[in-house]
């Protein structure tokens, strides 16, 4: 399929020595456009919801829209994501807003260092918990050049107050005791 970009598994180092994180890289693919051989594509780091959800390796027309227009897309599984064992998922306990942000930066840095993307054209997006990560990234870090939050969590106290019983203690695990 000439316009479909397929996922490539990527493992990259995190800020914790010896611990890696993961994701899926979708490279630009459009046979009607041949970029200059020295040009690297812009990058979109896509942050999943949850925050202990996971990137899904499946056909996403949203991803294909961007890859067919010259963007690389990286679906990140930061420390705390599901699918890599209990210890990896529980690493996010008390670290939501830390590891997800650090690992998103580490992923982009790794892809830049490997010569796969343009370090001057880095963006991030996410929805729900991924939107929270995106907003926090844009406020507290000066790394990505643009960010898009889709229905991002922006009020942790409000979320804790109005969430359903099943997740009533979830935020306590993710960020610690709330006031």
């Amino acid at each position: 399929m000439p316009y479909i970009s397929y996922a490539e598994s990527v493992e990259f180092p995190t800020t914790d020595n010896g611990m890696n994180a993961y994701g899926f890289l979708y490279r630009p693919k459009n046979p009607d456009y041949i970029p200059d051989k020295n040009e690297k594509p812009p990058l979109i780091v896509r942050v999943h919801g949850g925050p202990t959800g996971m990137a899904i390796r499946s056909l996403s027309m949203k991803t294909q829209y961007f890859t067919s227009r010259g963007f690389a897309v990286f679906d990140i599984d930061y420390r705390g994501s599901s699918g890599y064992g209990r210890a990896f998922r529980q690493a996010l306990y008390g670290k939501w807003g830390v590891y997800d942000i650090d690992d998103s930066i580490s992923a982009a840095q790794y892809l830049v260092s490997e010569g796969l993307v343009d370090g001057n054209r880095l963006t991030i997006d996410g929805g729900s918990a991924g939107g929270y990560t995106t907003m926090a990234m844009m406020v507290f870090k000066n790394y990505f050049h643009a960010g898009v939050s889709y229905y991002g969590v922006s009020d942790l106290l409000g979320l804790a107050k109005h969430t359903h019983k099943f997740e009533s203690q979830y935020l306590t695990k993710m960020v610690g005791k709330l006031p």
Side-chain angles (χ1 to χ4, degrees), residues 41-63:
L43 174 67
I44 300 170
V45 172
R46 183 150 295 141
V47 186
H48 60 71
T52 57
M54 61 191 283
I56 303 296
R57 185 181 202 161
S58 66
L59 178 64
S60 163
M61 297 314 289
K62 182 173 152 181
T63 296

Side-chain angles (χ1 to χ4, degrees), residues 19-100:
M19 183 173 251
N20 290 341
Y22 310 89
F24 301 111
L25 175 64
Y26 298 85
R27 295 177 191 246
K29 189 165 184 189
N30 184 335
D32 297 330
Y33 175 73
I34 311 278
D36 181 288
K37 67 180 179 178
N38 296 321
E39 182 182 8
K40 305 289 185 227
L43 174 67
I44 300 170
V45 172
R46 183 150 295 141
V47 186
H48 60 71
T52 57
M54 61 191 283
I56 303 296
R57 185 181 202 161
S58 66
L59 178 64
S60 163
M61 297 314 289
K62 182 173 152 181
T63 296
Q64 299 304 319
Y65 175 85
F66 286 104
T67 59
S68 69
R69 285 153 177 80
F71 285 82
V73 176
F74 188 73
D75 276 336
I76 186 168
D77 277 328
Y78 50 78
R79 288 170 285 171
S81 301
S82 296
Y84 301 92
R86 182 176 294 189
F88 189 82
R89 185 179 50 79
Q90 290 178 344
L92 194 62
Y93 286 5
K95 299 287 187 175
W96 184 29
V98 178
Y99 283 170
D100 47 329

Side-chain angles (χ1 to χ4, degrees), residues 8 18 20 22 27 29 44-45 55-56 71-72 75 91-92 101 104 106 117-118 120-121 135 146 158-159 161 168-169:
E8 300 172 33
N20 290 341
Y22 310 89
R27 295 177 191 246
K29 189 165 184 189
I44 300 170
V45 172
I56 303 296
F71 285 82
D75 276 336
L92 194 62
I101 289 173
S104 295
S106 293
V117 299
D118 183 345
N120 292 313
R121 298 186 291 168
M135 289 186 288
L159 178 63
K161 181 178 178 182
S168 64
Q169 297 304 309

